[in-house]
Amino acid sequence: MNAPMTFGNDKQAITHRERLVVIGNGMAGCRAVEEILARDPGRYAIAIFGAEPRVNYNRIMLSPVLAGEKAFDDIVINSAEWYAQNGIELIAGDPVEQIDRATQTVIARSGRVEPYDRLLIATGSDPFIIPVPGRKLPGVVTFRDLDDVDRMLAAAEKGGSAVVIGGGLLGLEAAHGLSLRGMAVTVIHLMPTLMERQLDEAAGWLLKAELERRGQTILTGADTAEIIGKDGPDGECVAGVRLKDGREIAADIVVMAVGIRPATALAKAAGLDVERGIMVDDHMITSDPAIMAVGECVQHRGTCYGLVAPLWDMCRALAGHATGAPSGYTGSVTSTKLKVSGIDLFSAGDFSGGEGAEDIVMRDAARGAYKRVIVRDGKLVGAVLYGDTADGSWYFDLLRKGEDVSAIRDALIFGQAFASGGALADPNAAVAALSDDAEICGCNGVSKATVVATIRQGACSLDAVRSQCKASASCGSCTGLVESLLRLTLGDEIEAGPKTLCKCTSFSHDDVRRLILEKELKAIPQVLQELHWSTADGCSSCRPALNYYLLCAWPGEYEDDQQSRFVNERLHANIQKDGTYSVVPRMWGGITSPQELRAIADVVEKYDAPMVKVTGGQRLDIFGIRKEDLPAVWADLNAAGMVSGHAYGKSLRTVKTCVGSEWCRFGTQDSTGLGVKIERMTWGSWMPHKFKIAVSGCPRNCAEATIKDFGVVCVDSGYELHVGGNGGIKVRATDLLCKVATEEEALEVCAAFVQLYREQAHYLERTAPWIERVGLAAVKAGLFDDPGAVRRLAARFRHSQQFMQDDPWARRAAGEDAELHRHLAEVRPMEFAQ
Amino acid sequence: MIGDWLDIGPTDQIAPGNARTLPVKGGEEIAVFHTLDNRFYALVNRCPHKQGPLSQGIVHGNVVTCPLHNWNISLRTGEALGDDEGCVPTIPLRVDAGRLYLLREAVVGKKAA
């Protein structure tokens, strides 16, 4: 035996550490090591043998990898750094072939011999191969590890058809993945309904109907007789499957997913007690006190488990005992979720019915939902949910606690919110009511108490929780629960985190704007695709925002998407409560002429407009125009030299002025002249929100410049430039941005400020809340810290403006997009014809 | 059979993501929608909330957002979604050989059928 050598007393402490060897680098083996390290990090010198040549990954997440929803890197649980940081020796790709209990060593395939003081067997399970002819043909694969996934992906790349034998959890996930990868998939299942171990007949039928709707062929009650071969370019390969009733199904790949059996060969050869699995006691000790076993390879109190949740409980018991604080394992109640995107399915406990079992069933055919709970002796013993699984964790919690539910029996089926008398309709309250040991994340076995402790230790965001305790880091189905716990634990503090752009995405406005530039995204469908939007074509919140962000990011390149514009910006007029529109022609700086006034008066009479009104922004607003008449109205106004006033847009509205030095006895500068110049420069520009400008000729401020987005107050020595004012719901006076000496400088700073706002504010954020959010100092820094910044921003604004300053009314008046204004047809029933 | 269905013209009169209107003499105006995933729906052009013209709303999925107060209305059922309550009548619509047909009796009312 290779006894560790010592070089003096100071090394004694290290060399006397017990040596723990783990066979199996899978979820159970590594989790057990993690649990031991969490309790007593210095106790063992640890070596882990893995059969696969890679680090530890989350095996249950192979389905999303196959489906293309995750990459391998996403499902790695412990990276190479974790092994190094914890001083763990990883021997990957060299499976252990023999255990020598007499010398307390293990021997690997390479001939390597490792001594142990304690041995942990975590060999998991092997896929069950049904003993039919042809099972060894190339093209017949199982679904157990990453190599299997790679084989399936290689087959899917060539297209064709696939047969999956086995309509259980694993088989259906394989079928889903292959189907998404473009293969024609047939599922062959021996039993009359799918997933019969987890689902009752009704839920199994709903599932079958849904999978068929998605294009899979499901054959139930189908018994495989043999796998047929054919001659391929590289010798014989799989051609299809023949059923016992004679049917043949052609296949380029056959996935065998009929079940698993505990991998016990190594333990059996070493003379340990083995029945179906390796026999263990409540502390996961085998018949040899120096050898422990955990996971799918063990048999505990007569039961072998094939799901992930019991494994977490076993690892806790094992680690407790291995570090001198035994807690014991008493078995697990298991629950199941199917990881097929878009299908919500949950089952837990016993739903076989039988003597004394009371069924409570609710069906909602329209939504395709089915719920069934089973009560026995006043206790919840089973639950099957299809279509709406929101209450799954609540039922599971009731089931594990085994509490008497008689008092809420009548309301049980309607879920937690209802059963609690409506008090828990708030989802946060529902989560608050879960017990501390309720499982939040099934993929990683994280309890509510652990998530809350993680948050209290400083993880204040979803990402921080994911990285620190792994809850919600895998399939993500518990994300809502984790978010509720964040809200409950932190109160308002979580609100400090950036808000997402809308419900269709988890990205914030700033993320989206950054990624549009970084990834050079130039169309809305491309943004939705690349940024993983959760809806097919967005919503009425995100579409206009994205349209603006793209327009701002790629002036001249991006083609405006009319379908993503609010009606006012699509019809270039303001919709009114009766469905008619109001029309505001532009009057530069608020100055008009007899010709313009005459044209407006003519329009009012010709189209019988019920009202014409002077607006707050010094323009004339013609009300009550029908959408069919808009192009003709615009043509008349165009003929008098007037263009769109953009009173309808998230854009530059008006530049309001006072008369200034030309007429006013107090005027210090030509405020009307400057106002006209500013309006000529800025009109037609799309903005995050509406944008109002005013120029006052003296500090008496008759143009009310200090409640505008950009305001100029003329003084004897020059121009004070103000920003961020608002006269709306919440009045806000402007902040003084700077003072300049000349009109040219005033125009340049105006262009630069507008561009900074265009590039940095969130869509539908006026300058006032924008400045309050980022701070005036940040705005000033963005403009003035770098002496070239104003010039560059203003240049970008002018570049963008060259694509914006053509009159949208003129194009419509000339017949563009006429179908937006015209009716499809008119229906005149016979009796109205006369 | 043709008599039961009213031909309102070819499908390409309505661009995806748009809606167009169909006034009915003596009846209520109808809005015909073409969704981005290429489906067609017809509803009475009147939001159940404050009678906004749904034809002018933004279409996303099989939902239209009313231009007046942002109610979301299901194009499939005519029902208001989310916390809002109300329903607008839907008109059975059929696409055949590139043309759109509305169920006549739903358009003109029973007495004219």
Side-chain angles (χ1 to χ4, degrees), chain A residues 537-540 543-544 563 565-567 570-571 575-577 581 627 819 822-827 829 831-832, chain B residues 8 13 16-18 20-26 29 32 36 53 56-61 65 67-68 108 111-112:
Chain A
D537 43 44
C539 70
S540 59
R543 288 250 307 276
Q563 276 72 47
R565 288 219 178 248
F566 181 61
V567 57
R570 220 179 319 129
L571 290 192
I575 194 165
Q576 301 299 325
K577 61 184 279 189
Y581 292 82
K627 77 172 179 190
E819 77 282 356
R822 278 205 293 264
H823 292 304
L824 203 50
E826 197 181 339
V827 180
E831 70 237 59
F832 292 101
Chain B
I8 57 167
Q13 305 174 99
N18 275 349
R20 294 191 63 187
T21 44
L22 188 73
V24 179
K25 192 102 180 174
E29 186 167 278
V32 185
L36 292 169
Q56 306 296 78
I58 291 179
V59 178
H60 48 101
T65 303
L68 290 195
V108 301
K111 61 183 174 176

Side-chain angles (χ1 to χ4, degrees), chain A residues 500-509 511-513 515-516 521 524-547 549:
Chain A
T500 63
L501 194 152
C502 71
K503 283 179 191 160
C504 308
T505 178
S506 56
F507 286 113
S508 67
H509 284 268
D511 289 336
V512 171
R513 298 202 78 165
L515 289 165
I516 283 173
L521 307 177
I524 289 178
Q526 194 189 5
V527 175
L528 305 188
Q529 180 63 29
E530 292 282 321
L531 304 187
H532 312 289
W533 237 245
S534 65
T535 47
D537 43 44
C539 70
S540 59
S541 295
C542 60
R543 288 250 307 276
L546 293 177
N547 189 54
Y549 290 155

Side-chain angles (χ1 to χ4, degrees), chain A residues 586 588 643 646 652 676-686 797-808 810-811:
Chain A
R586 194 166 287 286
W588 307 98
V643 298
H646 290 82
L652 185 271
V676 171
K677 283 181 192 159
I678 291 178
E679 190 158 353
R680 293 269 179 202
M681 175 179 80
T682 52
W683 79 279
S685 59
W686 296 111
F797 181 65
R798 293 199 170 95
H799 171 74
S800 160
Q801 281 298 84
Q802 63 178 307
F803 306 104
M804 296 299 160
Q805 292 192 326
D806 67 326
D807 178 26
R811 296 199 304 268

Side-chain angles (χ1 to χ4, degrees), chain A residues 461-729:
Chain A
S461 69
L462 183 62
D463 282 342
V465 171
R466 282 176 176 167
S467 67
Q468 287 174 34
C469 73
K470 294 185 180 134
S472 156
S474 293
C475 79
S477 66
C478 63
T479 301
L481 294 176
V482 173
E483 284 173 342
S484 288
L485 286 174
L486 275 162
R487 275 189 293 274
L488 287 166
T489 314
L490 297 175
D492 290 336
E493 286 170 54
I494 188 183
E495 301 298 339
K499 267 178 61 186
T500 63
L501 194 152
C502 71
K503 283 179 191 160
C504 308
T505 178
S506 56
F507 286 113
S508 67
H509 284 268
D510 291 332
D511 289 336
V512 171
R513 298 202 78 165
R514 178 175 52 77
L515 289 165
I516 283 173
L517 291 169
E518 272 179 25
K519 293 172 169 263
E520 299 197 16
L521 307 177
K522 296 188 180 176
I524 289 178
Q526 194 189 5
V527 175
L528 305 188
Q529 180 63 29
E530 292 282 321
L531 304 187
H532 312 289
W533 237 245
S534 65
T535 47
D537 43 44
C539 70
S540 59
S541 295
C542 60
R543 288 250 307 276
L546 293 177
N547 189 54
Y548 168 71
Y549 290 155
L550 290 164
L551 203 66
C552 179
W554 312 112
E557 277 188 76
Y558 174 69
E559 196 177 328
D560 203 316
D561 179 37
Q562 290 292 302
Q563 276 72 47
S564 296
R565 288 219 178 248
F566 181 61
V567 57
N568 287 358
E569 296 183 353
R570 220 179 319 129
L571 290 192
H572 300 285
N574 286 49
I575 194 165
Q576 301 299 325
K577 61 184 279 189
D578 64 352
T580 64
Y581 292 82
S582 81
V583 171
V584 180
R586 194 166 287 286
M587 290 176 177
W588 307 98
I591 298 171
T592 185
S593 67
Q595 192 201 8
E596 287 181 354
L597 290 171
R598 219 169 268 130
I600 290 171
D602 287 346
V603 162
V604 171
E605 286 184 349
K606 181 170 168 187
Y607 297 95
D608 208 12
M611 182 164 87
V612 55
K613 182 188 179 302
V614 180
T615 71
Q618 301 181 331
R619 304 298 135 96
L620 286 171
D621 197 346
I622 310 162
F623 282 84
I625 304 293
R626 297 181 305 155
K627 77 172 179 190
E628 306 89 280
D629 291 334
L630 286 170
V633 168
W634 295 332
D636 289 356
L637 294 170
N638 278 165
M642 283 181 281
V643 298
S644 164
H646 290 82
Y648 47 80
K650 312 300 177 206
S651 60
L652 185 271
R653 291 287 176 90
T654 69
V655 180
K656 186 175 180 178
T657 64
C658 70
V659 289
S661 57
E662 196 185 349
W663 296 90
C664 177
R665 62 201 164 104
F666 300 113
T668 61
Q669 309 282 354
D670 178 14
S671 51
T672 19
L674 177 57
V676 171
K677 283 181 192 159
I678 291 178
E679 190 158 353
R680 293 269 179 202
M681 175 179 80
T682 52
W683 79 279
S685 59
W686 296 111
M687 305 269 200
H689 208 308
K690 60 185 171 187
F691 195 99
K692 299 180 178 179
I693 297 180
V695 183
S696 282
C698 79
R700 285 169 190 77
N701 193 13
C702 295
E704 297 162 341
T706 49
I707 53 162
K708 300 300 179 206
D709 294 282
F710 186 85
V712 181
V713 177
C714 302
V715 291
D716 282 327
S717 55
Y719 305 83
E720 287 176 5
L721 306 183
H722 296 256
V723 295
N726 195 321
I729 295 171

